[in-house]
Amino acid sequence: MQFCVFRFLGNMLNTVSLCVLALAFAHSSAASNAKRGLAFADSADPTDISVAENTQVSWVYDWGTTAPSYLADSGITYIPMQWGASGVEDFAATVQASGAKTILGFNEPDMSSQSNIEPATAASLWTQYIQPLGADGVQLGAPAVTNGPTGTPWLSQFLGNCTECTFDFIPLHWYGEGLGNFYNYIWSFHGEFASWPLWVTEFASTSTNVSEVQDFCNQSIIYLDSLDWIGGYSWFAFYRETSGSYYNLLDANGNLNTLGEIYLDGTD
């Protein structure tokens, strides 16, 4: 809630001007949430990022290694990702040139339709090309697996092969219905990989009931904010409404919809 302090300045114009300035300052100076991130899937409409500025969001990624200008200029911290095996030999140099302080590893390597890397191969690539960034003080986020049946087994095999690797946190992805199912999954994941903080870098309710999706988002971000072993999270995803989509944060015109307002400015 925002308040205006009115002072008698001799005329109504000055009073209204003071109120407008106070409201503008309150919005622009609102502190962002260090955990809350943005999965930017809206490259066809890059200027939409403007609606995420001066909100609760503090970091953004777009599954790429280098921030495009519209994200670099947004004022929101960009986190590069090494999505798959291709180009991994250039990743460290790219990160160092950008000055990034945090990175994300391979995207859903347990899925054939995603980065699709065998655990032993991923461990070898990590050791040679990504691990050295840790010595430069870059925070290393491990590969992010799915919540499907191949996810945690892949991660366990990867960690078993990557014996000289260090990680500052482990990202994970979750899609499904029901807060209880989501909470049970992240707690189970935490129990299995308790040595590391977790970042939930993709998550969403797949319900086709708009009210259920909105309630899921509202309740889940409150809960994630309360857990000290959750270091970050990003709802999937920041993009415009499309046919059959229920978890998009933008409407068809690139404005925040109700879900977007909950996520970008919620839990006050």
Side-chain angles (χ1 to χ4, degrees):
M1 184 177 294
Q2 297 171 325
F3 298 89
C4 289
V5 177
F6 291 90
R7 294 180 179 176
F8 182 72
L9 299 177
N11 59 62
M12 182 60 71
L13 179 60
N14 285 338
T15 303
V16 172
S17 297
L18 179 62
C19 178
V20 171
L21 287 171
L23 287 173
F25 178 77
H27 179 73
S28 65
S29 61
S32 61
N33 183 327
K35 289 187 180 184
R36 196 170 305 174
L38 204 64
F40 187 89
D42 196 35
S43 58
D45 300 287
T47 58
D48 288 350
I49 189 62
S50 64
V51 303
E53 297 170 6
N54 300 315
T55 66
Q56 289 285 303
V57 168
S58 62
W59 57 274
V60 61
Y61 78 99
D62 65 348
W63 296 269
T65 61
T66 305
S69 59
Y70 50 86
L71 294 183
D73 296 340
S74 69
I76 304 171
T77 299
Y78 180 82
I79 297 183
M81 172 190 287
Q82 179 57 45
W83 187 88
S86 178
V88 66
E89 65 276 6
D90 301 319
F91 184 60
T94 300
V95 171
Q96 290 166 339
S98 72
K101 301 301 182 185
T102 304
I103 63 97
L104 298 171
F106 306 123
N107 184 75
E108 299 184 347
D110 58 298
M111 283 194 70
S112 59
S113 61
Q114 293 298 310
S115 63
N116 190 28
I117 312 172
E118 290 296 322
T121 301
S124 177
L125 293 173
W126 191 282
T127 301
Q128 183 174 0
Y129 296 114
I130 301 178
Q131 182 59 45
L133 285 168
D136 295 331
V138 176
Q139 300 289 296
L140 305 180
V145 296
T146 69
N147 61 307
T150 58
T152 54
W154 187 100
L155 184 58
S156 294
Q157 293 177 48
F158 169 77
L159 294 173
N161 280 280
C162 214
T163 55
E164 297 182 9
C165 303
T166 59
F167 308 99
D168 295 285
F169 61 93
I170 296 181
L172 63 94
H173 294 171
W174 186 91
Y175 295 93
E177 293 189 44
L179 283 165
N181 291 329
F182 177 52
Y183 296 166
N184 287 341
Y185 183 78
I186 61 174
W187 273 99
S188 175
F189 201 105
H190 173 56
E192 189 169 353
F193 304 102
S195 298
W196 300 275
L198 304 180
W199 285 32
V200 189
T201 49
E202 286 184 28
F203 75 111
S205 168
T206 56
S207 170
T208 57
N209 183 302
V210 173
S211 295
E212 287 183 5
V213 175
Q214 291 170 357
D215 182 65
F216 180 99
C217 180
N218 185 54
Q219 296 300 321
S220 64
I221 60 179
I222 293 172
Y223 190 64
L224 293 172
D225 282 338
S226 75
L227 299 175
D228 60 6
W229 43 270
I230 295 290
Y233 58 84
S234 51
W235 181 266
F236 186 90
F238 187 88
Y239 68 99
R240 294 190 181 193
E241 178 183 355
T242 58
S243 177
S245 174
Y246 298 91
Y247 39 75
N248 49 287
L249 298 177
L250 304 176
D251 65 20
N253 297 314
N255 300 309
L256 293 178
N257 56 21
T258 300
L259 183 64
E261 291 174 352
I262 290 170
Y263 185 73
L264 271 73
D265 286 312
T267 75
D268 289 340

